[in-house]
Amino acid sequence: MLKYFTVGTVVLLMLSGCGEENSSMNTNNNTSEQVSGSSGIVAGSMEPSLTFEEQENGTATFLYTIQNQTEQVQTITLPSSQKYEYKLYNEKGEHLKTYSADKSFVKKEEVLKVKQAEILEYPITIDQLSKGTYTLDVWLATEGAGDYKKTINFTIE
């Protein structure tokens, strides 16, 4: 009987020792996750994209998108009703047009909460373009850091 008790005690001690090791491993994992989370390190980023969709009769259409490729909800603050801005240049680099130059916007701050994998989409149409090669710079009209600028070269034929 004493022999069974001793063997049983040894087995229980071994099992409880394994359980403590696993819980300390879990504690270390949680600690490293908390450290990386508190330092602001996340996988991915807010990724802008600008694609040339089509052209017809001197009008070019683009799609400007921003995708949240992080593991967290991202906050974007827009200081007015303007969502994006662009500047158009000819092949010589001369500035031709600014989106906001002939528009007015309501001065009302808007805070966007962009969830994980969510995509913000902004179709852009530029008309009255003659034949030639152009450069288009587009960015989000944000307040503070992160304008998510993209540039594309395109040709009107």
Side-chain angles (χ1 to χ4, degrees):
M1 179 77 169
L2 184 59
K3 182 178 178 182
Y4 290 116
F5 179 74
T6 306
V7 170
T9 304
V10 169
V11 169
L12 284 174
L13 287 174
M14 287 175 48
L15 289 175
S16 67
C18 292
E20 288 176 19
E21 185 176 43
N22 285 340
S23 68
S24 75
M25 288 173 71
N26 289 341
T27 303
N28 288 340
N29 286 342
N30 288 341
T31 304
S32 67
E33 287 174 12
Q34 291 170 353
V35 169
S36 68
S38 65
S39 66
I41 299 171
V42 294
S45 60
M46 293 287 285
E47 282 298 316
S49 171
L50 180 59
T51 55
F52 181 58
E53 298 286 305
E54 66 179 343
Q55 65 159 333
E56 186 177 331
N57 299 326
T59 299
T61 305
F62 303 87
L63 183 61
Y64 175 61
T65 62
I66 302 166
Q67 182 175 17
N68 182 357
Q69 295 181 347
T70 71
E71 296 173 352
Q72 300 174 351
V73 174
Q74 297 295 311
T75 302
I76 296 174
T77 303
L78 303 172
S80 69
S81 61
Q82 180 181 5
K83 308 293 187 217
Y84 60 87
E85 179 68 280
Y86 70 70
K87 288 192 177 186
L88 180 67
Y89 302 91
N90 64 14
E91 58 193 32
K92 296 175 185 174
E94 299 168 330
H95 176 251
L96 301 176
K97 185 173 185 176
T98 299
Y99 173 68
S100 62
D102 59 351
K103 295 174 179 48
S104 59
F105 301 97
V106 176
K107 184 74 174 164
K108 182 180 181 210
E109 185 176 273
E110 182 178 359
V111 177
L112 303 174
K113 299 285 186 183
V114 187
K115 298 175 185 171
Q116 298 87 333
E118 184 177 359
I119 300 173
L120 301 175
E121 293 186 340
Y122 301 102
I124 298 171
T125 302
I126 303 174
D127 55 7
Q128 300 177 351
L129 296 171
S130 55
K131 291 182 180 182
T133 302
Y134 298 88
T135 300
L136 180 65
D137 292 336
V138 181
W139 62 94
L140 206 58
T142 60
E143 189 172 82
D147 62 6
Y148 313 107
K149 187 175 185 178
K150 286 303 281 185
T151 299
I152 192 168
N153 296 316
F154 66 99
T155 302
I156 299 294
E157 298 175 350

